[in-house]
Amino acid sequence: MPKGYWVSVYRTISDPEKLAAYNELARLAVQAAGGRTIIRGGRVVAHDAGIAERTIVVEFDSFEQAVAARESTAYQEALVALSDGVERDFRIVEGVD
């Protein structure tokens, strides 16, 4: 069964305090849903229209698990804390195997 991934690329961070509150709540929600953060920040080389800002990748055992984690009550609370603190591109993608 293919794994599922959250891929989040931050375009701008306008409120670091909101991001910090989100990070704590999101970390708990991801762990509760069985997710594993495999990329969090770090060095980035962006090409074409890419943005060299903060990038996060979270791995789940399945695509369905990744979708359910995003829809969970715990993660929705994290999103409330984040509100307008960042502008980001967030996707849930299915792995190839």
Side-chain angles (χ1 to χ4, degrees):
M1 175 181 300
K3 293 183 179 182
Y5 296 89
W6 287 5
V7 180
S8 185
V9 178
Y10 289 72
R11 297 179 186 284
T12 61
I13 298 171
S14 58
D15 192 329
E17 290 179 12
K18 287 182 179 180
L19 179 58
Y22 162 83
N23 284 341
E24 183 61 26
L25 294 170
R27 181 181 60 79
L28 296 172
V30 164
Q31 287 176 346
R36 297 164 300 282
T37 302
I38 59 174
I39 297 171
R40 182 171 182 253
R43 299 183 334 162
V44 175
V45 175
H47 295 278
D48 303 324
I51 297 170
E53 191 57 74
R54 179 184 180 97
T55 301
I56 310 294
V57 177
V58 179
E59 180 182 65
F60 293 88
D61 290 335
S62 71
F63 180 78
E64 291 76 18
Q65 186 181 10
V67 170
R70 171 64 171 76
E71 295 172 353
S72 73
T73 301
Y75 189 72
Q76 295 306 305
E77 291 173 6
L79 289 175
V80 169
L82 183 60
S83 65
D84 62 350
V86 302
E87 178 187 356
R88 66 182 182 160
D89 179 357
F90 182 95
R91 298 165 189 245
I92 301 174
V93 298
E94 184 176 54
V96 294
D97 58 4

